[in-house]
Every structure is written in C-alpha cells, then in structure tokens.
Amino acid sequence: MTINTVNFKDSKVIVRVDFNVPLDENGNITDDTRIRGALPTLKKVLADGGALIIMSHMGKPKGKVNPKFSLGQISEAVGDALGVTVTFAPDCAKAADQAAALKSGEVLLLENLRFYPEEEGKPVGVEKGTPEFDAAKKEMKARQKEFAKTLASYADYYVMDAFGTAHRKHASTAVIADYFDNDHKMLGYLMEKEVTAVDNVLSNIKRPFTAIMGGSKVSTKIGIIDNLLGKVDNLILCGGMTYTFAKAQGGKIGNSICEDDKLDVALGVIAKAKELGVNLVLGTDCVAGDDFKNDCHTQICPANDIPEGWEGLDAGPETQKLFADAIKDAKTILWNGPAGVFEFDNFAAGSRAVAEAICQATENGAFSLIGGGDSVACINKFGMADRVSYISTGGGALLEAIEGKVLPGIAAIKG
Ligand code: AMP
C-alpha cells in the first residue's frame, strides 16, 4: 500500500512525524525544516477529507513529563504551516475522546510521545547487566505494546513519516504497525523520498563515489566508515576525527580532540583502505586555535605537528584543496559531519570548502546526498541547500540505511 493510492476521505489517520525541531530559550522554532518536510503527507490527508492525528517526540525527556519538551509549544506553528487550527492533546495516551470527536479536515497534535517510557521501551531505574534487568525489560516490552495499541486505537490508518527515528524500534515508529493490516499502514511521502535517495546512492552508484565523514568522534562513525570502505573510491575523514588518526600515526596533536582508545581503530581503517584500494584522504594541515572559541588566536600548522596548548579546529588551506580535488570529479557523494567547528565563523572555512566542492560536483552531474544535523546546518548556514541533490532529515537513520541495515520503521510497514 502506498500513500498515493489511498483516499483518506472520512477516515482518521495517525501520522508519526519527526517534529523534533530546535527551539530557542523562548520556545520559538529556530529551524522548521522538519515541519516543512512532513507537510506533503499531512496535506494529502486533509485534502482527501480525512482527519489527522499527528504524533512525534521532541528532545530527550527520558520518559518523564517535562514542559521544556512539550509539543504544545509548536502547536500554533504546525497549524500555521497547515493552514488549519490544530487542537492539542496534552496527554498522548489519554486522547481517545479527542480523537473520536475529530471531524474531516480537523487536526489533533498529541503531546510528546517520549513523556512515556513506553515509547522507547527501555526499562527505567534498572541498570543493564543486573539480575532484575531482563524481567524489567520484558515487562516494559509488554507495556510498550499496550501503549502502541492505545495510539493505534485512535485511527483507521497509520502512516510512518518520521525518517529521523526510523532506525528505532519504538512504540510509534514500529510496534504500532502491528495493529493495522497491510491496507491500513504505509510510509509517508517524506519516507518514500528518503528511501529513494538512499537507493540512488546504494543501488545506482555512479563512480567515482566520494564519501566525506566528519564531526567530532571516530567512535560514533566507525560502523559506517568501515562499511563505506567497501563501497567508495574516495573516503575523506575530517573534523575532530583527524587528530585521532594523526596521533595513531605518531603525530603531535597538542590539545586537539582525540579518542585515545580508538588509535588502533584508526590504524585499522588506514590498513583496510590500503587493502581495498580506497583513496583515504586525511587532512595534512589545520587551523589551530589556542582556545575553544571563535575569537581565539589561530595559526596554520601540520595536522600531525600541533604545538602544545593549541588544538586543531578546522581544515587548513592545503587540506581544503585536497578535499575539493577528491570531491570535484565524483559522480556520487555522501556527506555526513562537518570538517571543523563550523559553528564558529572563524573555523567554518573547511566545511565551506567541502560544501562548495559538493555543489560544483552536483552542477557537473553528481548525485549528492547530505545527511546528519550538523552537515545540514552547514549547508543551510552557507545558503547552498538548493545546490545539492538531496538533504536528508535523518542522521543516525540515514547512516544505518546506507550501511544496508533494515530500518525497523520501514520493516514494520513493508515486512
Ligand atoms: P558529530 O555530532 O560527531 O557529527 O560532530 C559534530 C560536531 O563536531 C560539530 O558540532 C563540530 O563543531 C564538531 N567538530 C568538528 N571538527 C572539530 C574539531 N576539530 N574539534 C572539535 N570539534 C569539532
């Protein structure tokens, strides 16, 4: 069943979206990309004459009610985006009456699903590895099913459109699908687009394929790095990871960010790249600062010879050129994670050079896929969003999909 083939007239449709939008200290939305991403699905339901029940998580309230993460704060903005008044359900698990009263064209937004520990289904207050853990886990799984069943009872159809959480087997992203038959559950438009973009990268690789992996740590990216080594022609590793690699090879890295317990992992990546004939591109020079702030003193130095008291915060000019060279002729590009501390304007040049090279390659016919909150923030900061092929709303979900893992949110629908 696909969303395009269903007519939702006079039906109630519960849609899992990802409205985990960033808010400022006054609760105002600072980036509404995720709300805009869900609009095609939501508008389709309303245009058909259906009633909408929207559900999402926001932040990490860890199973407890916390006004800081209330979706009530964005109810009006969602209404403005849809052009209808949105009713808010202050308790997502006690919204049966509100859902029952909904008429065609009306919208109900449920409170943050993660105010209930059942959403994530992790036992609360029991340490992993303790004797009580297994029993607590079993009990929580049962409670998770009940929670999912309650959510399912609100609607005739279930639409999964939250790509950002599709790699989680949560009540609202996967378990709920068990309570709908195949004709009454489907992926939304955003999910369909994301899946197609990943397919474009994986099943239709036009070479050369260049992946750029950045960000702060090796540990959070090693799974995908290892996996990409079997697929790419060029692998650029940048950002904070640079210094773990530099130190592993005997370099001096001053105060740069480094994971000392991952030095052997870094050496393993270098060896595997060599074995597979992958062109591994690591920074040769860097822009170092004498403090972790935008207006600190800076100097350009070799990435493997950083003076004591200084830390590498961005890719240097020679490195920027190296990166651009490995990107410019690519025909498939994947970018996840910035090349420096791009949030500080003085250390954004490396990420900008990567972004610019990706845009140019795209203009020359490459398919470029950008994913992960920070690289998307980079592209937006540089005003280049409309010069790349596809910007994914998923970080972890995108990487797991590229790794070839089956995402629970998709498996729940497609089997
Ligand atoms: P991640 O969440 O692992 O993708 O990392 C993203 C973060 O990495 C961004 O907030 C960047 O500021 C940070 N980052 C990038 N390069 C460096 C660096 N050289 N030192 C410290 N942090 C960095």
Side-chain angles (χ1 to χ4, degrees):
M1 181 62 58
T2 68
I3 184 160
N4 246 349
T5 55
V6 183
N7 187 334
F8 294 111
K9 190 168 166 31
D10 297 330
S11 303
K12 294 200 170 93
V13 186
I14 190 160
V15 185
R16 176 52 158 107
V17 295
D18 179 3
F19 280 176
N20 183 24
V21 290
L23 301 176
D24 66 15
E25 59 282 4
N26 301 315
N28 297 312
I29 299 169
T30 53
D31 182 351
D32 67 350
T33 310
R34 288 180 169 154
I35 294 180
R36 282 187 285 112
L39 288 181
T41 293
L42 303 179
K43 285 188 168 168
K44 148 84 175 158
V45 173
L46 295 178
D48 279 359
L52 259 181
I53 299 148
I54 305 175
M55 58 176 174
S56 177
H57 75 285
M58 180 184 271
K60 293 183 176 158
K62 305 214 161 106
K64 289 202 186 82
V65 175
N66 181 343
K68 209 175 114 196
F69 300 117
S70 173
L71 282 165
Q73 300 171 92
I74 68 161
S75 182
E76 207 179 311
V78 174
D80 289 347
L82 284 171
V84 291
T85 308
V86 168
T87 308
F88 183 61
D91 187 333
C92 64
K94 296 197 176 76
D97 291 345
Q98 282 175 290
L102 273 188
K103 296 195 188 63
S104 286
E106 292 184 342
V107 182
L108 180 67
L109 173 67
L110 304 185
E111 180 55 290
N112 195 339
L113 298 157
R114 290 193 189 164
F115 284 0
Y116 279 88
E118 287 84 351
E119 165 63 359
E120 295 183 76
K122 283 192 215 131
V124 209
V126 204
E127 287 282 312
K128 230 180 178 168
T130 59
E132 307 85 57
F133 186 80
D134 281 350
K137 195 170 154 192
K138 210 168 151 199
E139 195 235 352
M140 182 50 92
K141 287 288 164 207
R143 277 168 56 188
Q144 186 182 49
K145 280 189 183 165
E146 278 309 306
F147 181 68
K149 194 172 166 188
T150 301
L151 297 171
S153 72
Y154 300 160
D156 308 302
Y157 287 94
Y158 166 62
V159 181
M160 167 60 181
D161 212 18
F163 185 68
T165 46
H167 59 316
R168 307 276 181 225
K169 194 172 179 195
H170 290 172
S172 67
T173 59
V175 183
I176 187 174
D178 289 345
Y179 300 97
F180 294 87
D181 65 30
N182 283 342
D183 292 338
H184 291 84
K185 59 183 169 190
M186 67 213 73
L187 300 179
Y189 287 120
L190 178 65
M191 284 290 295
E192 283 184 351
K193 250 172 52 179
E194 297 273 6
V195 170
T196 308
V198 171
D199 266 4
N200 255 327
V201 167
L202 287 188
S203 52
N204 186 18
I205 301 176
K206 298 205 179 67
R207 297 194 178 274
F209 179 6
T210 297
I212 306 113
M213 302 300 296
S216 53
K217 290 180 175 171
V218 182
S219 50
T220 54
K221 305 265 159 93
I222 186 62
I224 180 82
I225 290 173
D226 196 53
N227 189 278
L228 283 171
L229 278 171
K231 299 193 168 91
V232 298
D233 303 291
N234 303 301
L235 179 62
I236 296 175
L237 296 180
C238 53
M241 277 191 264
T242 310
Y243 310 101
T244 301
F245 279 81
K247 186 165 177 181
Q249 294 176 93
K252 277 171 42 198
I253 58 164
N255 289 346
S256 305
I257 187 171
C258 178
E259 289 172 283
D260 282 320
D261 59 341
K262 293 286 172 292
L263 301 181
D264 54 339
V265 171
L267 291 177
V269 169
I270 294 171
K272 186 166 172 183
K274 206 168 175 187
E275 187 190 313
L276 295 173
V278 170
N279 176 31
L280 184 67
V281 189
L282 285 157
T284 52
D285 62 347
C286 70
V287 185
D290 63 354
D291 201 354
F292 191 80
K293 55 182 189 194
N294 185 47
D295 55 1
C296 62
H297 297 107
T298 63
Q299 63 169 298
I300 290 161
C301 54
N304 60 3
D305 195 9
I306 301 173
E308 272 315 309
W310 292 73
E311 58 189 302
L313 295 174
D314 197 12
E318 186 181 279
T319 300
Q320 290 174 29
K321 203 177 161 304
L322 267 180
F323 289 176
D325 282 345
I327 295 169
K328 74 177 191 328
D329 297 324
K331 287 288 171 261
T332 304
I333 300 169
L334 172 71
W335 182 24
N336 176 278
V341 187
F342 76 101
E343 297 93 333
F344 298 155
D345 285 346
N346 292 338
F347 299 99
S351 301
R352 185 185 284 276
V354 166
E356 183 56 42
I358 293 174
C359 291
Q360 283 178 20
T362 310
E363 273 140 25
N364 289 333
F367 180 83
S368 52
L369 172 56
I370 322 293
D374 284 307
S375 351
V376 176
C378 270
I379 282 280
N380 286 335
K381 177 175 170 139
F382 306 143
M384 297 179 188
D386 51 4
R387 293 176 62 205
V388 296
S389 309
Y390 190 74
I391 296 187
S392 173
T393 56
L398 174 74
L399 297 185
E400 289 196 16
I402 299 272
E403 272 184 60
K405 288 189 186 157
V406 179
L407 305 185
I410 296 177
I413 303 269
K414 302 222 155 163

